[in-house]
Structures are given as C-alpha cells and as structure tokens.
Amino acid sequence: MAKKITAVVKLQLSAGKATPAPPVGSTLGPYGINMMEFIKGYNEKTAAQVGTVIPVEITIFEDRSFTFITKTPPAGELLKKAAGADKGSGRPNKEKKGRITTEQLRQVAEMKMPDLNANDIEAAMRILAGTARSMGIDIVQ
Amino acid sequence: MRWAEITISCPSETEEAVCQALLDAGCGGTMTTGTGPVSVQGSLPEDEYLPEKLQTLRDRLNTLPDWGLAPVCSEPGVQLVDEQDWAEAWKKHYKPVKPGRILVVKPSWEVYAPNPEEKVLALDPGMAFGTGGHPTTRLCMEFLEDTVQEGMRVADIGTGSGILSIAAALLGAEHVWATDSDSLPRRIAAANIAENQMEGKIEVLELDEFYQQAQQCDIVTANIVANTILELLPQISGMVKTGGAVIVGGIVEEHRDLLHRALALAGFEDIQEKTEDIWVCFLAVRTSNPVNMPELINLSRSLPPLGANWA
C-alpha cells in the first residue's frame, strides 16, 4: 500500500558486522523499527564485503516498517584503498597517510558521482580532494 | 556504561569528510539525516580516551577549510546517553491492537489472553509490510469482520505480511489465495501464515497461478494503492462471483471519488466506505453488470500521482 515516509536515514557501517550498539541501536531504536531484522538483513547483504564500510539508506514509514538499500563504499574507503592507507590521519597537517594521483582521484569521483552533491566531475573531484587531504592523503599529478 | 553521541551539522559537500573523521576517531558507524546542511552523528564509548578522541576529532574538523572544503556549521555537539538493551528497546513501541470487534493483532513476544469472541493473529513487525498498525490495514480488517462468513472463498492481492489473508482465515474463510508481485513479501507472508498455523487454509501463489486458481471468490481484498487497484479492477471484477464483494484499501482521500467511479464502472454497487486519517477503504458488491473497459482506461489516465514523501 502507499505509505508516508517518516524519515530517510543514511548509515555507514562495517559490512557484515552491524550490531545493535550505537549508532544502529541508538538511532533506529527511537523510530521503533525491528532492529534485529535490519541488522540481519544488512549483514547478510554485505557479508561478501567484510572489511570495508558499506553505507545503507533506510527509509522508515509512518507505521514503523522500513526498507533499505546498500550503496557503494564511502569516498573515504575508496581513497584509503587507493592510497594504501589503513585509516585517515588524526593530524592531516603533520602526519601523512599516503598519496594518490589525480587520475585515481578522478576514478573515485566517477564511482561516487551518483552519491555526491556535485554538478560535474570537476566539482566531485574538488570535494573528494578535500576529503582526501583532510585524511592526510596528498594528491599528486 | 554510557556513550558520547556526537552530532555535527555540515554542508552536504563536507559530509564524506565528516563521516570519515568520525570513523577514524573510532565510531562504529555514522548516521546522516537531512539534506542541505546535513546532520552527521557518531558515538564513542565513554572511557578515559574519550577527551583525547574528541579533541583529535575537533582538530581534524577545524582543518577542513584548509583542504578546500566548506567548514562544519558548528562545533560538534556531544551528549552522553545511557547504554540500553538496543536489541530489545524498539519492542516497546508495539502492543496488541484491536482494529474492530473481533480481530486482535499482537507481536509474537506479547502474551495476550483473548475474550471468547476475539480471534488473535501473531505478527512481528519488520520490513515494509503491515502489522495492523496502519489505518488502511485496520480499515480492511474491519470490513473483513463485517463480511467474511464460514466457508467463504477469499483472495488477497498485494498480501504483504499476509495479515488480511490470516484475518480472513481466522474469521472462517474456507480457502484463501494470496499473492504479491514481489517474492520477498510472498516469503514473509508464508512464514507468518505458518506462525499462525494457517497453512492448510491459505495458499501463497505467484501472480500467474493466483489468477488461474482464485476464481468465483466471495471476497477479494486489495490493500495496495489507487493506481494499482485501478489497473487491476477488471481482473478483480472477473474473480468475484455475482453477489460477492471487493475490499480495496490503501487509497488516500484525494483519490476517493475516482476510485468510487471506477468501482461502479467495474460492475460493483452498494459501495460503502470507511475512513481514518487521510485513508479510505471501500467495500462494494459485484453485480452481473459488465465491466466498462473504455471508461475505466480513461479514468486510470486521469489519476493524479502522489507527491514526494510517499513510497
């Protein structure tokens, strides 16, 4: 039946390893959606991608039922992979975690275009270059 | 144990960087809500490392403009929340509901002692299918209570959780055919039917088989959405025997008049309606009148679409 949407929530979670701990429990709990069913569904769907973060968009309806779709890995994950970094830097000014080329940046931007609020590939690359540098990943030619 | 819930408001172009900063700070995940300026949330356990982690996070967020990104809208908000049994806490939103006079829908974990005249269905909430909490499901159940009699043949189109099929069987239907265009609800409906020990009375079928078998029905229910109901009305009309009834729900008020006209064109009369909130549900009796196909097709072309915020 037609249903009114109460909220659309985007979560970034470890693939195959979601648990009821925050943020899943603390954020979805108040909406009254069946937590374990979401967790089971998410973990099953992302089991093959363990070790990466997979975003999920959950649509919650007024009767507290829900649907969800998984998305491509977040830009940060793709940038870390391209740079061979395990995590982002806590002090990106001083402590560098790696470097990527402009071409690699363009590839990540192309992959993430649908999820980014960017009008063209250049705008997407500018956002992602900022994201990369904020993680201590430099961009080189 | 307590958790520090960190909320950061930022322009959408900075969202990715903020999410990554929270993950790098040790958050097990992040949550984003809103558009335009978005609100990104993450949680860290309250322990001796928390102040240092928060400081590192603030420092990193402060550098965002250095990398050509828009700055965050404000300092991160930090709120301490008590650990709860999150896996169970959501259940407090659900209590047994009694839509009409007879049927009671309860979640499987609730104990409910029915009165002699009550009939209880156990249904657990979950993915996008009804549990009796939605007005249109309740209205359809009320009409089922008014119409289903012992030995009837009932068909349920767009069964979802199977709730209306189970209700019809509990009310005395001899056989119920249920279908849904999607395989996921068909599986969920089958599981709920088994949970309510109704496998002997209710068959969940794929569409083709459903339309072959569900003939000469006393009642057909379709709790879907106006557009789909309009499309299906000629078929529904052919499934209901003369003197039988159709129950259609999932219709918002703005589509009421159109659906009323469509029912008449599809050979139904004695059209009754129940409403709750913005929802309308119709019960109508099949006459021997033929279906006026050309007019029905014209009518379906004039159906205004629902706006955003609907699915």
Side-chain angles (χ1 to χ4, degrees), chain B residues 18 27 40 54 59 64 84 89 102-103 111 115 124 131 166 176 183-184 188 214 238 247 260 275 285 298 305:
Chain B
V18 169
C27 294
V40 184
L54 287 175
D59 291 346
L64 293 179
Q84 287 182 37
I102 304 165
L103 296 163
V111 177
N115 296 327
D124 283 345
T131 54
I166 299 167
V176 184
S183 64
L184 178 65
I188 290 174
I247 296 169
H260 197 284
T275 57
V285 177
N298 271 342

Side-chain angles (χ1 to χ4, degrees), chain A residues 1-3 5 10-12 20 27 32 34 37 62 64 66 75-76 87-89 93 117 126-127 130 134-135, chain B residues 12-13 15-16 20 24 29-32 41 60 67-68 86 90 93-94 125 127-128 134 136 224 279 309 311:
Chain A
M1 76 194 115
K3 289 189 176 188
I5 295 167
K10 268 196 291 180
L11 295 171
Q12 298 206 2
T27 55
N34 185 334
E37 184 164 326
E62 61 183 337
R64 300 199 183 95
F66 67 96
K87 63 181 286 194
S89 170
N93 280 322
N117 189 17
R126 186 184 63 75
I127 292 171
S134 78
M135 298 163 63
Chain B
S12 57
E13 73 160 58
E15 179 194 339
E16 286 275 0
Q20 194 55 47
D24 286 335
T30 64
M31 180 190 78
T32 305
Q41 209 174 69
R60 181 154 154 187
W67 318 118
W86 304 110
W90 60 276
H93 293 280
Y94 298 91
M127 295 283 284
H134 197 281
T136 76
I224 314 176
W279 299 98
N309 302 326

Side-chain angles (χ1 to χ4, degrees), chain A residues 76-85 99-101 104-105 108 137:
Chain A
E77 283 288 305
L78 300 170
L79 293 167
K80 277 193 299 183
K81 204 166 277 179
R99 54 175 58 182
I100 58 169
T101 64
Q104 284 176 303
L105 185 69
V108 174
I137 296 171

Side-chain angles (χ1 to χ4, degrees), chain A residues 1-3, chain B residues 157 211 222-236 248-256 258-260 262-263 279-280 282 296-307 310-311:
Chain A
M1 76 194 115
K3 289 189 176 188
Chain B
I157 306 173
Y211 286 117
N223 183 25
I224 314 176
V225 57
N227 308 52
T228 312
I229 291 168
L230 255 179
E231 223 171 87
L232 293 174
L233 260 182
Q235 253 168 312
I236 292 173
V248 289
I251 300 154
V252 290
E253 259 170 2
E254 60 193 278
H255 298 158
R256 167 202 268 128
L258 215 134
L259 255 292
H260 197 284
L263 283 166
W279 299 98
V280 185
F282 289 111
L296 256 184
I297 291 167
N298 271 342
L299 204 61
S300 63
R301 288 193 185 126
S302 64
L303 191 75
L306 285 172
W310 290 87

Side-chain angles (χ1 to χ4, degrees), chain A residues 100-108 110 125 140-141:
Chain A
I100 58 169
T101 64
T102 313
E103 189 45 39
Q104 284 176 303
L105 185 69
R106 179 179 289 275
Q107 284 168 6
V108 174
E110 278 166 0
M125 285 174 73
V140 293
Q141 286 303 316

Side-chain angles (χ1 to χ4, degrees), chain B residues 7-304:
Chain B
T7 307
I8 301 161
S9 171
C10 65
S12 57
E13 73 160 58
T14 315
E15 179 194 339
E16 286 275 0
V18 169
C19 286
Q20 194 55 47
L22 284 164
L23 293 172
D24 286 335
C27 294
T30 64
M31 180 190 78
T32 305
T33 48
T35 50
V38 295
S39 168
V40 184
Q41 209 174 69
S43 299
L44 291 169
E46 185 191 34
D47 57 20
E48 71 264 37
Y49 305 110
L50 178 64
E52 190 190 328
K53 286 179 183 171
L54 287 175
Q55 192 51 52
T56 308
L57 176 67
R58 285 192 190 97
D59 291 346
R60 181 154 154 187
L61 294 174
N62 287 337
T63 67
L64 293 179
D66 301 346
W67 318 118
L69 293 172
V72 295
C73 302
S74 57
E75 275 282 291
V78 180
Q79 194 185 359
L80 292 170
V81 294
D82 288 324
E83 168 102 344
Q84 287 182 37
D85 186 357
W86 304 110
E88 298 294 317
W90 60 276
K91 291 183 175 175
K92 67 172 185 252
H93 293 280
Y94 298 91
K95 294 288 162 211
V97 289
K98 188 172 178 183
R101 296 164 286 114
I102 304 165
L103 296 163
V104 177
V105 187
K106 76 170 192 74
S108 63
W109 61 85
E110 281 278 334
V111 177
Y112 185 84
N115 296 327
E117 73 276 12
E118 287 177 338
K119 294 182 188 298
V120 182
L121 332 45
L123 266 193
D124 283 345
M127 295 283 284
F129 314 111
T131 54
H134 197 281
T136 76
T137 313
R138 288 200 293 270
L139 296 173
C140 288
M141 290 174 87
E142 283 183 49
F143 270 141
L144 281 174
E145 287 186 356
D146 295 343
T147 50
V148 176
Q149 290 171 20
E150 290 292 331
M152 282 188 162
R153 294 155 63 91
V154 177
D156 177 20
I157 306 173
T159 192
S161 63
I163 186 167
L164 296 182
S165 293
I166 299 167
L170 276 171
L171 290 166
E174 181 185 87
H175 199 89
V176 184
W177 294 273
T179 193
D180 204 293
S181 57
D182 191 355
S183 64
L184 178 65
R186 288 201 301 268
R187 280 204 305 277
I188 290 174
N192 285 331
I193 289 160
E195 167 83 26
N196 286 276
Q197 290 148 14
M198 285 291 176
E199 302 101 312
K201 280 189 163 188
I202 308 170
E203 271 183 282
V204 183
L205 302 169
E206 290 187 27
L207 289 175
D208 287 351
E209 214 181 337
F210 172 84
Y211 286 117
Q212 274 168 22
Q213 294 198 23
Q215 293 295 323
Q216 286 293 304
C217 297
D218 296 285
I219 296 166
V220 174
T221 64
N223 183 25
I224 314 176
V225 57
N227 308 52
T228 312
I229 291 168
L230 255 179
E231 223 171 87
L232 293 174
L233 260 182
Q235 253 168 312
I236 292 173
S237 195
M239 293 163 65
V240 185
K241 68 183 188 190
T242 304
V246 67
I247 296 169
V248 289
I251 300 154
V252 290
E253 259 170 2
E254 60 193 278
H255 298 158
R256 167 202 268 128
D257 293 346
L258 215 134
L259 255 292
H260 197 284
R261 284 215 303 284
L263 283 166
L265 291 170
F268 291 93
E269 64 178 20
D270 290 339
I271 302 170
Q272 298 173 44
E273 67 175 59
K274 288 181 193 281
T275 57
E276 186 181 330
D277 190 14
I278 57 162
W279 299 98
V280 185
C281 185
F282 289 111
L283 167 73
V285 177
R286 180 77 174 101
T287 64
S288 52
N289 296 342
V291 178
N292 186 337
M293 276 306 283
E295 284 297 313
L296 256 184
I297 291 167
N298 271 342
L299 204 61
S300 63
R301 288 193 185 126
S302 64
L303 191 75

